[in-house]
Amino acid sequence: METKPAAATDKKGKATPKRPNQSKARPPVNPPMTAKEKREAQKKAGPLTKEQKKQAKEDLRAERGRIAEGQWKGDPLFDKYHLPRDRGAEKLLVRDIVDSRWSIGQYYMFGAFGILIVSTSGSVQLQSYLFIALIALTAVIVLESVFLARRVGRIVFKRFPKTEQRKGGLYWYAIQRSIMPRSMRNPRPRMSYKAKEDDLGKVVK
């Protein structure tokens, strides 16, 4: 007896089993980006049963979770879901450059906050010392930022000679990220301090 192929709108009997060697989750090819696109896609698919609606909600919840995780991890294949400031191969490369180097700047927020707290309860002489320490810390970070900007310019514009990104914008993007504590950077750092220059900005499909 010849079996009839299932239609696209047939009820799904059970969840599709996962492959044993499933690769890294990737974003959907053409997901609905707006509520209007979602409604149009539902109209084309036709009316859904109660079970199909429940499955569709679960799939949407899982898809949103994957997208959020991809954003947080800085996965370049989720680039279109990132904030506009973080999009593009050049921005990915800049983030990797910053995250692959240890810097004093990433502790600036903690250092400045600590100095501020101590200075409010200390003597005038202690406050003057702390103020000098803050100035010295700021000077070190400025110097680090200069070297970071030079490295960003050398690597990014060598790899993307025809880029339309402005140098100043990329430099400022790098400096802002460098003075953020590593654990608070978003998207999350992909590179370790041992990363090589050839690994920076690489997209693994």
Side-chain angles (χ1 to χ4, degrees):
M1 181 176 178
E2 191 174 325
T3 57
K4 183 181 178 182
T9 56
D10 285 348
K11 176 182 174 182
K12 191 172 183 180
K14 59 181 180 178
T16 304
K18 295 183 178 180
R19 291 177 296 176
N21 296 323
Q22 191 175 17
S23 59
K24 185 179 179 182
R26 295 306 180 200
V29 179
N30 292 308
M33 300 297 290
T34 64
K36 183 179 179 181
E37 291 180 3
K38 181 182 176 182
R39 287 195 300 269
E40 291 177 353
Q42 289 176 345
K43 287 180 181 179
K44 291 180 180 179
L48 302 176
T49 65
K50 184 177 180 181
E51 291 77 8
Q52 286 175 326
K53 288 181 180 179
K54 181 179 179 181
Q55 184 64 44
K57 288 182 180 179
E58 292 177 355
D59 292 343
L60 181 60
R61 190 180 301 111
E63 179 181 310
R64 287 175 176 172
R66 288 170 50 232
I67 290 173
E69 184 180 7
Q71 287 177 310
W72 180 65
K73 289 184 175 180
D75 189 335
L77 295 182
F78 287 76
D79 188 62
K80 66 180 178 180
Y81 297 105
H82 291 146
L83 295 175
R85 68 172 188 184
D86 300 317
R87 292 176 190 162
E90 296 92 338
K91 295 293 183 65
L92 171 66
L93 180 55
V94 170
R95 291 199 299 272
D96 285 353
I97 292 172
V98 174
D99 298 334
S100 65
R101 59 190 289 276
W102 180 89
S103 67
I104 296 176
Q106 66 195 53
Y107 304 107
Y108 177 74
M109 185 182 297
F110 299 124
F113 185 73
I115 290 174
L116 179 63
I117 294 298
V118 174
S119 64
T120 56
S121 58
S123 63
V124 175
Q125 186 176 8
L126 178 60
Q127 289 179 0
S128 64
Y129 289 147
L130 292 174
F131 179 74
I132 293 173
L134 182 61
I135 294 297
L137 178 62
T138 304
V140 170
I141 292 172
V142 169
L143 187 62
E144 276 190 341
S145 299
V146 171
F147 286 112
L148 174 61
R150 291 178 62 182
R151 188 174 187 224
V152 167
R154 177 179 62 82
I155 298 176
V156 173
F157 294 101
K158 177 183 178 182
R159 216 177 276 188
F160 302 98
K162 296 183 180 180
T163 181
E164 297 181 356
Q165 295 281 350
R166 296 172 53 191
K167 286 186 177 181
L170 291 177
Y171 295 161
W172 182 238
Y173 181 71
I175 292 170
Q176 282 185 312
R177 187 172 179 85
S178 70
I179 60 177
M180 284 290 294
R182 187 178 176 87
S183 60
M184 296 175 63
R185 292 174 184 172
N186 190 19
R188 183 186 180 187
R190 304 189 312 148
M191 297 288 120
S192 69
Y193 294 142
K194 296 180 180 180
K196 297 179 181 180
E197 188 172 312
D198 292 339
D199 296 329
L200 306 180
K202 187 175 292 185
V203 179
V204 181
K205 295 184 180 181

Short mmCIF file of all heavy atoms in Angstrom, two decimals, residues 138-160:
data_model
loop_
_atom_site.label_atom_id
_atom_site.label_comp_id
_atom_site.label_asym_id
_atom_site.label_seq_id
_atom_site.Cartn_x
_atom_site.Cartn_y
_atom_site.Cartn_z
N THR A 138 44.15 57.33 35.79
CA THR A 138 43.57 57.87 34.56
C THR A 138 44.63 58.03 33.48
O THR A 138 44.39 57.73 32.30
CB THR A 138 42.89 59.22 34.84
OG1 THR A 138 41.91 59.06 35.88
CG2 THR A 138 42.22 59.76 33.60
N ALA A 139 45.81 58.49 33.88
CA ALA A 139 46.90 58.68 32.91
C ALA A 139 47.33 57.34 32.30
O ALA A 139 47.59 57.25 31.09
CB ALA A 139 48.09 59.35 33.60
N VAL A 140 47.41 56.31 33.14
CA VAL A 140 47.77 54.98 32.64
C VAL A 140 46.74 54.48 31.64
O VAL A 140 47.08 53.92 30.58
CB VAL A 140 47.91 53.98 33.81
CG1 VAL A 140 48.05 52.55 33.28
CG2 VAL A 140 49.11 54.33 34.66
N ILE A 141 45.47 54.71 31.93
CA ILE A 141 44.40 54.25 31.04
C ILE A 141 44.41 55.02 29.72
O ILE A 141 44.17 54.46 28.65
CB ILE A 141 43.04 54.37 31.75
CG1 ILE A 141 42.98 53.37 32.91
CG2 ILE A 141 41.89 54.14 30.79
CD1 ILE A 141 41.80 53.51 33.80
N VAL A 142 44.70 56.30 29.79
CA VAL A 142 44.82 57.10 28.56
C VAL A 142 45.95 56.55 27.69
O VAL A 142 45.80 56.41 26.47
CB VAL A 142 45.05 58.59 28.89
CG1 VAL A 142 45.45 59.37 27.63
CG2 VAL A 142 43.80 59.19 29.52
N LEU A 143 47.07 56.23 28.33
CA LEU A 143 48.20 55.68 27.59
C LEU A 143 47.84 54.32 26.98
O LEU A 143 48.16 54.03 25.82
CB LEU A 143 49.40 55.53 28.52
CG LEU A 143 50.73 55.12 27.87
CD1 LEU A 143 51.18 56.16 26.86
CD2 LEU A 143 51.81 54.93 28.94
N GLU A 144 47.15 53.49 27.75
CA GLU A 144 46.69 52.20 27.24
C GLU A 144 45.75 52.39 26.04
O GLU A 144 45.83 51.64 25.05
CB GLU A 144 45.94 51.43 28.33
CG GLU A 144 46.83 50.64 29.25
CD GLU A 144 46.02 49.72 30.15
OE1 GLU A 144 44.80 49.95 30.31
OE2 GLU A 144 46.61 48.76 30.68
N SER A 145 44.89 53.37 26.13
CA SER A 145 43.93 53.62 25.06
C SER A 145 44.62 54.03 23.76
O SER A 145 44.18 53.66 22.67
CB SER A 145 42.93 54.71 25.49
OG SER A 145 42.21 54.32 26.63
N VAL A 146 45.70 54.79 23.89
CA VAL A 146 46.46 55.20 22.70
C VAL A 146 47.04 53.98 22.00
O VAL A 146 46.93 53.82 20.77
CB VAL A 146 47.57 56.19 23.09
CG1 VAL A 146 48.50 56.44 21.89
CG2 VAL A 146 46.97 57.51 23.56
N PHE A 147 47.66 53.08 22.78
CA PHE A 147 48.24 51.86 22.20
C PHE A 147 47.14 50.95 21.63
O PHE A 147 47.34 50.32 20.58
CB PHE A 147 49.06 51.10 23.24
CG PHE A 147 50.38 51.75 23.56
CD1 PHE A 147 50.62 52.32 24.80
CD2 PHE A 147 51.39 51.80 22.60
CE1 PHE A 147 51.85 52.92 25.08
CE2 PHE A 147 52.61 52.39 22.87
CZ PHE A 147 52.85 52.96 24.11
N LEU A 148 46.00 50.90 22.31
CA LEU A 148 44.89 50.08 21.83
C LEU A 148 44.37 50.61 20.50
O LEU A 148 44.12 49.84 19.57
CB LEU A 148 43.76 50.06 22.87
CG LEU A 148 42.47 49.35 22.45
CD1 LEU A 148 42.73 47.88 22.15
CD2 LEU A 148 41.40 49.51 23.53
N ALA A 149 44.20 51.93 20.40
CA ALA A 149 43.72 52.53 19.15
C ALA A 149 44.68 52.25 18.00
O ALA A 149 44.25 51.98 16.88
CB ALA A 149 43.52 54.03 19.35
N ARG A 150 45.97 52.32 18.28
CA ARG A 150 46.95 52.02 17.23
C ARG A 150 46.85 50.58 16.77
O ARG A 150 46.95 50.28 15.57
CB ARG A 150 48.35 52.32 17.75
CG ARG A 150 48.64 53.80 17.97
CD ARG A 150 50.02 54.04 18.52
NE ARG A 150 51.07 53.58 17.60
CZ ARG A 150 52.36 53.64 17.86
NH1 ARG A 150 52.79 54.14 19.03
NH2 ARG A 150 53.24 53.23 16.97
N ARG A 151 46.65 49.66 17.71
CA ARG A 151 46.52 48.24 17.35
C ARG A 151 45.25 48.00 16.55
O ARG A 151 45.24 47.24 15.57
CB ARG A 151 46.55 47.38 18.62
CG ARG A 151 46.62 45.90 18.29
CD ARG A 151 46.80 45.05 19.53
NE ARG A 151 47.02 43.66 19.16
CZ ARG A 151 46.44 42.64 19.76
NH1 ARG A 151 45.61 42.83 20.76
NH2 ARG A 151 46.70 41.40 19.36
N VAL A 152 44.15 48.61 16.99
CA VAL A 152 42.89 48.47 16.27
C VAL A 152 43.03 48.98 14.84
O VAL A 152 42.62 48.32 13.88
CB VAL A 152 41.76 49.23 17.00
CG1 VAL A 152 40.53 49.37 16.10
CG2 VAL A 152 41.38 48.52 18.29
N GLY A 153 43.65 50.14 14.68
CA GLY A 153 43.84 50.69 13.34
C GLY A 153 44.70 49.79 12.46
O GLY A 153 44.40 49.59 11.29
N ARG A 154 45.75 49.25 13.04
CA ARG A 154 46.67 48.40 12.26
C ARG A 154 45.97 47.12 11.79
O ARG A 154 46.08 46.75 10.61
CB ARG A 154 47.89 48.03 13.11
CG ARG A 154 48.87 47.09 12.41
CD ARG A 154 50.06 46.79 13.28
NE ARG A 154 49.72 46.11 14.51
CZ ARG A 154 49.52 44.79 14.61
NH1 ARG A 154 49.60 44.03 13.52
NH2 ARG A 154 49.23 44.25 15.77
N ILE A 155 45.24 46.46 12.69
CA ILE A 155 44.64 45.17 12.34
C ILE A 155 43.38 45.33 11.50
O ILE A 155 43.21 44.68 10.46
CB ILE A 155 44.33 44.36 13.61
CG1 ILE A 155 45.62 44.06 14.38
CG2 ILE A 155 43.61 43.06 13.27
CD1 ILE A 155 45.41 43.35 15.71
N VAL A 156 42.49 46.23 11.93
CA VAL A 156 41.19 46.36 11.26
C VAL A 156 41.35 46.88 9.84
O VAL A 156 40.80 46.31 8.89
CB VAL A 156 40.25 47.29 12.06
CG1 VAL A 156 38.97 47.55 11.27
CG2 VAL A 156 39.93 46.67 13.41
N PHE A 157 42.13 47.93 9.65
CA PHE A 157 42.22 48.53 8.32
C PHE A 157 43.16 47.75 7.40
O PHE A 157 43.16 47.96 6.19
CB PHE A 157 42.63 49.99 8.43
CG PHE A 157 41.57 50.83 9.10
CD1 PHE A 157 41.68 51.20 10.43
CD2 PHE A 157 40.44 51.20 8.40
CE1 PHE A 157 40.70 51.95 11.05
CE2 PHE A 157 39.44 51.95 9.01
CZ PHE A 157 39.56 52.32 10.33
N LYS A 158 43.95 46.86 7.97
CA LYS A 158 44.72 45.94 7.15
C LYS A 158 43.82 44.84 6.61
O LYS A 158 43.94 44.42 5.44
CB LYS A 158 45.87 45.33 7.98
CG LYS A 158 46.70 44.31 7.21
CD LYS A 158 47.76 43.70 8.11
CE LYS A 158 48.57 42.63 7.37
NZ LYS A 158 49.59 42.01 8.27
N ARG A 159 42.89 44.37 7.46
CA ARG A 159 42.00 43.30 7.06
C ARG A 159 40.80 43.81 6.25
O ARG A 159 40.25 43.09 5.42
CB ARG A 159 41.52 42.55 8.30
CG ARG A 159 41.37 41.06 8.05
CD ARG A 159 40.96 40.35 9.32
NE ARG A 159 42.07 40.03 10.19
CZ ARG A 159 41.95 39.27 11.27
NH1 ARG A 159 40.78 38.77 11.58
NH2 ARG A 159 43.00 39.02 12.03
N PHE A 160 40.39 45.05 6.51
CA PHE A 160 39.26 45.64 5.79
C PHE A 160 39.69 46.99 5.20
O PHE A 160 39.26 48.05 5.68
CB PHE A 160 38.06 45.84 6.73
CG PHE A 160 37.58 44.58 7.37
CD1 PHE A 160 37.96 44.25 8.67
CD2 PHE A 160 36.73 43.71 6.70
CE1 PHE A 160 37.50 43.10 9.28
CE2 PHE A 160 36.27 42.55 7.30
CZ PHE A 160 36.66 42.24 8.59
#
